[in-house]
Amino acid sequence: MQLFFNPDITEKDELVTFPRDESKHIVKVLRKNEGEILNITNGKGLLFTAEIIQADIKQCIVKITSFEKQPAPPYYLHMIVAPTKMNDRYEWFLEKAMEIGVHEITPIICDHSERKVVKLERYERVLLSAMKQSLHLSFPKLNEPITFKEFMNKDLKGSRLIAHCEDVNEKPYLQKKIHSRQSANILIGPEGDFSKDEIEIALENGWNQISLGDNRLRTETAAIVACHTVAMKNQEL
């Protein structure tokens, strides 16, 4: 199945007009014609079936013929991940997290962060491309970057888990700290890890420290391991 994206479609719509860039892609690049059927999502769990009634590169118009709603996921995963020095590595994390399953992403700026400026528009494009390729119907919430100390003031639902590399006695594996059908917030630090002050602040604010395994992982690898662990825990249902 080939999936298209239009964030403005609702269950009440009968006709939908694609913007110029998407219209050009559908008609000129993919060579779609009147009468052909498209599968479209609005990124909110809905899948629409639509027939092209006007194949114009400037204004492609489709008629909705049916729609179905994807069941809500049994869990909610919020990944709070420090941007990597090399931007393509963070984009790799976004792509793979989208494929595995993630519901919210927050870039967090830490004491040891080497990249403190991010371009959310680029991140959104990476997520959108991955969503269409993996046939997901829900687009994750992508938050503005925030500093570690500011983030500690956030009111969050679900478990609060911070993965760090400090050698401490009480640091259970992630799979022992998560439960199916629950919300989880997981903090992953930059290449230089969280500072000792940040770890202390997190613990004082109710975060639980976890391990992602015995090997030392890059930021983006650690984030993917966390996503996969949570997803597999919810496959046990």
Side-chain angles (χ1 to χ4, degrees), residues 98-117:
M98 181 74 248
E99 293 176 16
I100 296 168
V102 66
H103 309 100
E104 186 173 355
I105 299 168
T106 299
I108 189 167
I109 310 303
C110 305
D111 289 343
H112 296 160
S113 290
E114 295 187 68
R115 178 178 292 277
K116 299 182 183 293
V117 177

Side-chain angles (χ1 to χ4, degrees), residues 1 3-7 40-48 68-77 94-105 124 126-142:
M1 182 178 74
L3 188 63
F4 296 88
F5 177 67
N6 189 311
I40 312 166
T41 183
N42 61 356
K44 300 170 186 174
L46 289 169
L47 177 65
F48 299 85
E68 60 183 85
K69 187 172 181 63
Q70 184 182 58
Y75 69 101
Y76 190 90
L77 176 59
L94 294 173
E95 178 184 278
K96 302 311 173 188
M98 181 74 248
E99 293 176 16
I100 296 168
V102 66
H103 309 100
E104 186 173 355
I105 299 168
E124 288 175 348
V126 171
L127 287 168
L128 178 57
S129 176
M131 183 188 76
K132 293 193 289 186
Q133 289 182 350
S134 58
L135 303 181
H136 279 279
L137 303 182
S138 295
F139 192 79
K141 181 181 180 183
L142 179 61

Side-chain angles (χ1 to χ4, degrees), residues 37-202:
I37 302 300
L38 301 182
N39 295 296
I40 312 166
T41 183
N42 61 356
K44 300 170 186 174
L46 289 169
L47 177 65
F48 299 85
T49 301
E51 178 184 351
I52 299 177
I53 60 173
Q54 179 175 307
D56 189 300
I57 62 172
K58 296 181 180 180
Q59 191 179 64
C60 180
I61 302 176
V62 299
K63 180 180 180 181
I64 303 298
T65 56
S66 65
F67 70 88
E68 60 183 85
K69 187 172 181 63
Q70 184 182 58
Y75 69 101
Y76 190 90
L77 176 59
H78 179 192
M79 294 297 301
I80 309 100
V81 184
T84 53
K85 180 180 179 180
M86 302 300 292
N87 206 39
D88 60 338
R89 284 165 46 199
Y90 201 85
E91 292 176 3
W92 180 85
F93 148 66
L94 294 173
E95 178 184 278
K96 302 311 173 188
M98 181 74 248
E99 293 176 16
I100 296 168
V102 66
H103 309 100
E104 186 173 355
I105 299 168
T106 299
I108 189 167
I109 310 303
C110 305
D111 289 343
H112 296 160
S113 290
E114 295 187 68
R115 178 178 292 277
K116 299 182 183 293
V117 177
V118 300
K119 297 181 179 180
L120 286 187
E121 289 184 3
R122 171 64 186 174
Y123 288 177
E124 288 175 348
R125 290 197 295 270
V126 171
L127 287 168
L128 178 57
S129 176
M131 183 188 76
K132 293 193 289 186
Q133 289 182 350
S134 58
L135 303 181
H136 279 279
L137 303 182
S138 295
F139 192 79
K141 181 181 180 183
L142 179 61
N143 297 316
E144 293 282 343
I146 187 172
T147 65
F148 184 94
K149 291 182 179 178
E150 289 175 323
F151 186 78
M152 285 295 110
N153 295 321
K154 291 284 186 180
D155 183 20
L156 303 171
K157 295 182 179 179
S159 57
R160 304 182 183 194
L161 307 170
I162 178 171
H164 63 78
C165 299
E166 289 291 316
D167 188 14
V168 296
N169 292 327
E170 294 296 326
K171 196 165 67 167
Y173 292 125
L174 171 59
Q175 56 265 37
K176 295 182 178 180
K177 295 294 293 183
I178 55 174
H179 304 280
S180 58
R181 296 185 179 276
Q182 292 188 6
S183 298
N185 305 277
I186 302 179
L187 266 168
I188 305 292
E191 282 92 333
D193 200 10
F194 295 108
S195 67
K196 291 185 178 181
D197 286 344
E198 287 171 334
I199 295 172
E200 185 176 336
I201 291 171

